[in-house]
Amino acid sequence: MSGDKDSEAGRGDPRTQDPLPSDSLNEAQREVRVRLGRQGVEPRTFDAVLRSRLRDQLESALADVAEKFSVDGPLFINKHRLSGVFGCEASFLHEEEQEFAWNPHIARGAVAHKAIELGINWPSPDPAPPKLVDAALDSLTRGDTSLADWLYRCSDAERAELRGLAVSSVAAFFDCWPPLQRHWRPATESSSRVELCGGRIVLGGKTDLTLGRAEGRTADKVIVDLKTGRHQPIVHREDLRFYALVETLKLGTPPRTLATYYLESATIDVEEVSEDLLGVALRRTVDGIGRYAELHGHLGPPAEPLKRPGPPCRWCALRDDCAEGQEFLAQADDDR
């Protein structure tokens, strides 16, 4: 997304190339357009060997872990597994042991993201959120996934609850975001996969929304994570830094900007990408993969999981038998 008004389609800065006049946007929409634009600063151009340098560092640091896996049975790492080992390890391991089950609150994000994807590409302008959610539900129900199976079997009450939650999220997006112009190259649910150490370790992720694209070695892509829950800026920034690392390993050119958007409060957290940021993401990824392997007994006897009490203790399944969690919650209640 370029700041040059005369640049070709596909490189337009939202502030300079948006055909909508500023006074047709509400304040929240104007903030998105300004915060995700270049703001008068030319994007960074990165070293041509950045990709190979990052890959070499990762593969060297992860060689011992990679030896415990095979191409046919690789270790798969995504943002959820990384955030799990850096949060309460006991809660994370317990969660991994449970059989996954869909419910309206868990399915909300998948349905809302699908509806937003449809809305961005809808043939007529300004489609109504309920119409988009109904179309998303129909599309997802026809799929060959566990979500499709649950949508087919769920009760009318569960489907109605899910529809209401998803409509709320979709309406919030279109209320708070400026119309996404075609020359911004918006893309939703974009998957990335990077194989390391001969395919024995795999990094993967799926971004909610991307805008723009790299121009050679010049970064000009924005990656956006859409959130319907509470603010966790530290965790969410780390998630996006992991996405930036995977994007760089995949393409060779990092994204320009990372943004977490909280739909319920219409607030945005933005971070610009640099080599230092990628270095932080790389070290965290190496440490997280090593700890994940230790906890699961791949490097020796399984490590004892650490308990890290915090706000998630309120809904943790282990809360009743966790002294650390109960102490944290009691202190939090006393501080109110």
Side-chain angles (χ1 to χ4, degrees):
M1 293 185 293
S2 168
D4 181 0
K5 292 184 180 181
D6 297 323
S7 63
E8 69 272 19
R11 299 185 60 199
D13 186 315
R15 300 166 302 126
T16 59
Q17 289 237 331
D18 192 339
L20 293 172
S22 182
D23 59 7
S24 70
L25 303 177
N26 62 43
E27 188 60 32
Q29 292 171 325
R30 285 196 292 270
E31 181 183 17
V32 169
R33 192 167 64 169
V34 170
R35 295 290 302 278
L36 298 187
R38 288 184 180 174
Q39 304 187 56
V41 178
E42 286 300 307
R44 288 184 174 90
T45 296
F46 288 84
D47 195 313
V49 298
L50 175 61
R51 178 191 189 190
S52 59
R53 185 168 69 245
L54 292 175
R55 177 179 284 274
D56 289 346
Q57 291 173 5
L58 279 167
E59 293 187 330
S60 176
L62 294 172
D64 290 344
V65 176
E67 288 180 357
K68 308 300 181 181
F69 297 88
S70 67
V71 176
D72 295 330
L75 172 60
F76 180 79
I77 293 293
N78 55 20
K79 69 174 186 180
H80 175 71
R81 286 184 168 178
L82 284 180
S83 64
V85 299
F86 288 111
C88 179
E89 295 176 350
S91 177
F92 170 62
L93 290 181
H94 176 78
E95 179 184 306
E96 280 207 323
E97 292 170 356
Q98 307 308 304
E99 183 177 354
F100 180 79
W102 289 98
N103 63 50
H105 288 273
I106 293 176
R108 172 187 189 173
V111 176
H113 291 162
K114 184 64 176 180
I116 290 170
E117 175 188 356
L118 294 174
I120 291 171
N121 299 284
W122 205 257
S124 58
D126 199 23
K131 184 176 184 178
L132 293 175
V133 169
D134 288 340
L137 286 168
D138 288 344
S139 175
L140 291 170
T141 303
R142 293 194 301 269
D144 185 21
T145 64
S146 62
L147 176 56
D149 182 60
W150 180 80
L151 287 171
Y152 184 78
R153 295 184 294 102
C154 70
S155 68
D156 290 343
E158 289 174 318
R159 194 177 186 91
E161 181 182 5
L162 171 58
R163 184 178 185 274
L165 291 169
V167 167
S168 176
S169 296
V170 175
F173 177 83
F174 287 105
D175 281 346
C176 300
W177 274 66
L180 299 182
Q181 305 302 303
R182 186 167 297 178
H183 58 263
W184 297 1
R185 296 181 180 271
T188 59
E189 300 290 315
S190 300
S191 296
S192 294
R193 176 185 174 95
V194 171
E195 296 183 356
L196 301 172
C197 302
R200 289 171 291 174
I201 295 177
V202 177
L203 309 182
K206 180 182 289 185
T207 55
D208 292 341
L209 174 66
T210 63
L211 305 170
R213 67 173 182 179
E215 298 286 345
R217 291 187 288 113
T218 300
D220 209 10
K221 177 182 283 189
V222 178
I223 295 179
V224 181
D225 225 5
L226 301 172
K227 298 297 182 183
T228 57
R230 64 190 182 90
H231 287 226
Q232 299 183 74
I234 296 176
V235 173
H236 295 156
R237 279 199 171 197
E238 297 288 6
D239 288 345
L240 282 169
R241 290 171 181 175
F242 175 71
Y243 283 156
L245 176 64
V246 173
E247 175 88 0
T248 307
L249 291 167
K250 177 181 177 180
L251 299 181
T253 303
R256 169 171 59 86
T257 302
L258 308 174
T260 304
Y261 194 85
Y262 298 93
L263 291 166
E264 293 178 359
S265 60
T267 54
I268 187 169
D269 181 66
V270 176
E271 187 171 38
E272 302 303 313
V273 179
S274 65
E275 286 200 35
D276 287 343
L277 180 147
L278 294 172
V280 170
L282 185 148
R283 291 188 291 275
R284 179 177 181 268
T285 299
V286 169
D287 291 344
I289 289 174
R291 184 57 180 170
Y292 185 89
E294 289 175 348
L295 288 169
H296 288 79
H298 296 299
L299 303 179
E304 184 69 23
L306 299 176
K307 294 181 178 179
R308 297 189 177 102
C313 291
R314 293 195 182 278
W315 53 86
C316 178
L318 303 178
R319 180 181 60 184
D320 293 342
D321 298 318
C322 178
E324 294 86 348
Q326 291 179 10
E327 181 180 354
F328 173 86
L329 293 175
Q331 183 63 49
D333 291 339
D334 289 342
D335 292 341
R336 286 183 177 180

